Amino acid sequence: MASHGIENERIVRLQKIGLLLAGFELLFSAIAARGQAISPDALIRAYPDQIAGRDDTGIIFRDGTRQILSDGKTDKSFDEKLKNASLIDQLSLPYPKGALTKPPGPQDDPGRFRNIAFFDKVYGDCDKGETQKRLTDIPWFTGKVRVTTVNGVAERLRAVAMEIDRLPQDIKRHAYPSAGAFNCRVVKDTGKRSMHAYGAAIDLNTAFSDYWLWRKAGYRNRIPYEIVEIFERHGFIWGGKWGHFDTMHFEYRPEFFDPGSDEKEQHSD
Ligand SMILES: [Zn+2]
């Protein structure tokens, strides 16, 4: 009986070690799947017209003002990061390269953590009419879209449209008519200013779009990757790579394509 007890104890101990190892494995695979956070240096390279440089704790804008990188909160939930992102939070989820091989996980939302003070500084505050002074209309296939001239966004979208126009008709038809670009509004689920409020985002043809809030059946995408690839090459991230998917949505976020944040695979643009 006594030896039985010892045997049971050993089994329990082995089970505990096994669980512990499994726990570590999960943790490490989660870290590997998330990838590395992007360096704050990527912001300086991505927004050279606005940012002059940085020190250890903040970025320095060309007008001499400074913004801190971290809000000092280390235990923020996913929801808190969505609603109140620091610059560090903004850089915490890397954007996956290439076509997706499987649907994004529920918290794979690279680019949805946005620090509003930062984007207000870069593009202006539309409630004060600042953003509007920097907008222009560009042709978008059968119509026009209103976008910002800041950071060359308008010129980049002109180039995107020209490249999409060279694709076969059954592919390029997904890109137009546009469902809108500049719009001084907030994101539905977060209540925070959308990239549309800066004139730095565009929505494609709603007839082929899927949005997580309207689609309870889970992830679906009908936008061909040929279109996505063109946008990405010009510095735009795609809402189809989000767990909270919005497949007609593209926004200019060059910090996610910084060559310095991935030594192995350099971005070509
Ligand atoms: Zn959108």
Side-chain angles (χ1 to χ4, degrees):
M1 273 301 160
S3 71
H4 238 109
I6 291 163
E7 194 62 23
N8 284 344
E9 227 172 80
R10 271 187 59 193
I11 289 166
V12 169
R13 205 181 308 143
L14 282 172
Q15 279 173 340
K16 276 185 185 164
I17 292 168
L19 273 174
L20 196 67
L21 287 175
F24 274 125
E25 216 166 283
L26 267 175
L27 184 70
F28 286 128
S29 63
I31 291 168
R34 289 260 170 278
Q36 293 291 310
I38 301 161
S39 162
D41 292 331
L43 284 178
I44 297 155
R45 288 187 283 260
Y47 301 93
D49 291 350
Q50 290 82 28
I51 308 175
R54 75 167 179 115
D55 53 30
D56 287 346
T57 55
I59 54 171
I60 297 128
F61 289 101
R62 295 210 174 270
D63 65 4
T65 58
R66 190 170 171 279
Q67 187 181 353
I68 54 160
L69 290 164
S70 168
D71 55 14
K73 297 174 189 152
T74 51
D75 58 347
K76 283 164 91 173
S77 67
F78 180 80
D79 212 49
E80 285 170 323
K81 287 180 187 174
L82 270 181
K83 287 177 180 156
N84 206 358
S86 69
L87 286 173
I88 291 295
D89 297 332
Q90 185 171 309
L91 298 168
S92 62
L93 296 176
Y95 181 81
K97 286 186 165 71
L100 290 181
T101 52
K102 57 177 171 30
Q107 298 198 339
D108 291 339
D109 274 358
R112 287 193 85 220
F113 300 154
R114 305 179 189 92
N115 181 282
I116 299 309
F118 174 79
F119 289 112
D120 281 358
K121 186 85 185 169
V122 171
Y123 296 108
D125 178 337
C126 63
D127 285 324
K128 295 180 185 160
E130 294 168 353
T131 317
Q132 288 85 336
K133 291 179 197 151
R134 304 163 183 174
L135 298 176
T136 189
D137 285 338
I138 61 157
W140 191 263
F141 300 90
T142 49
K144 284 188 295 187
V145 290
R146 184 157 291 181
V147 293
T148 186
T149 55
V150 175
N151 294 331
V153 168
E155 287 316 303
R156 291 174 205 277
L157 280 172
R158 272 180 192 275
V160 167
M162 277 169 61
E163 284 193 47
I164 292 174
D165 200 36
R166 289 184 216 123
L167 295 172
Q169 184 56 38
D170 64 326
I171 292 176
K172 73 178 179 188
R173 71 195 178 110
H174 298 81
Y176 63 89
S178 164
F182 173 72
N183 188 347
C184 188
R185 67 168 173 85
V186 297
V187 178
K188 250 188 203 83
D189 64 311
T190 66
K192 291 292 171 182
R193 199 163 269 171
S194 157
M195 289 307 284
H196 288 283
Y198 302 110
I202 184 169
D203 291 333
L204 305 188
N205 189 339
T206 49
F208 303 103
S209 73
D210 293 287
Y211 181 43
W212 70 277
L213 265 177
W214 308 134
R215 187 178 158 78
K216 300 299 174 193
Y219 184 85
R220 178 172 69 170
N221 170 47
R222 292 171 285 160
I223 303 292
Y225 190 69
E226 287 93 327
I227 290 175
V228 176
E229 186 274 328
I230 292 169
F231 272 102
E232 289 180 341
R233 220 166 354 88
H234 290 276
F236 293 79
I237 61 168
W238 175 46
K241 287 188 176 177
W242 296 338
H244 296 86
F245 55 95
D246 183 1
T247 68
M248 69 175 167
H249 177 91
F250 291 86
E251 63 182 60
Y252 184 63
R253 300 293 297 282
E255 66 268 39
F256 288 102
F257 302 100
D258 183 66
S261 44
D262 191 342
E263 253 90 272
K264 280 166 275 165
E265 209 183 320
Q266 298 261 318
H267 191 251
S268 59
D269 208 31

